[in-house]
Amino acid sequence: QVQLVESGGGSVQTGDSLRLSCTASGRSFSGYAMAWFRHAPGKHREFVGHITWSGGNVNYEDSVKGRFTISRDSGTNTVHLQMTNLKPEDTAVYYCAADLTGWGLMGHESSYHYWGQGTQVTVSS
């Protein structure tokens, strides 16, 4: 099994930055992609972006393009979400997720096989 642990969340002001990290424990990750989702109360769980593990190709949800950057460190089985120019609408619990196969549709919850416990990000105006 793949166990995912997120870290780096916190409470910040509008315009601040945070870097979230997600580490896959155990043996080296050999799946298709690692993704970030976020879930705010009263909203659907939203796809933020993902990175393919082999090639490092990144895709982002439109709402975070230009502000968020996803990167990976294959040596430590870690994916990062660097968030800049944070806005109140970014407030959510952020989850990382692993897509082992790449067979499903990118960004669809059902495509991801393992999920972390989440880390809270709160952005105050």
Side-chain angles (χ1 to χ4, degrees):
Q1 293 187 342
V2 177
Q3 297 186 56
L4 306 176
V5 180
E6 303 97 336
S7 62
S11 298
V12 298
Q13 298 293 121
T14 298
D16 286 350
S17 299
L18 280 174
R19 190 177 82 151
L20 307 183
S21 298
C22 172
T23 297
S25 62
R27 63 185 178 92
S28 298
F29 183 71
S30 58
Y32 175 72
M34 296 272 275
W36 288 97
F37 287 78
R38 62 187 182 183
H39 192 190
K43 295 184 176 182
H44 295 99
R45 185 157 46 192
E46 179 186 41
F47 175 71
V48 175
H50 85 181
I51 185 167
T52 62
W53 208 249
S54 179
N57 299 118
V58 182
N59 292 92
Y60 299 101
E61 167 67 27
D62 287 344
S63 64
V64 306
K65 286 181 179 178
R67 298 188 299 120
F68 291 10
T69 302
I70 298 173
S71 61
R72 80 202 194 288
D73 183 347
S74 59
T76 58
N77 292 336
T78 300
V79 62
H80 303 285
L81 180 65
Q82 178 67 52
M83 305 183 292
T84 62
N85 193 24
L86 284 161
K87 304 174 181 179
E89 53 262 43
D90 296 318
T91 295
V93 177
Y94 283 70
Y95 299 89
C96 62
D99 177 357
L100 300 183
T101 66
W103 296 344
L105 295 176
M106 181 185 68
H108 286 215
E109 294 179 26
S110 61
S111 299
Y112 300 90
H113 305 88
Y114 295 96
W115 295 78
Q117 294 297 306
T119 186
Q120 176 72 49
V121 173
T122 302
V123 185
S124 300
S125 60

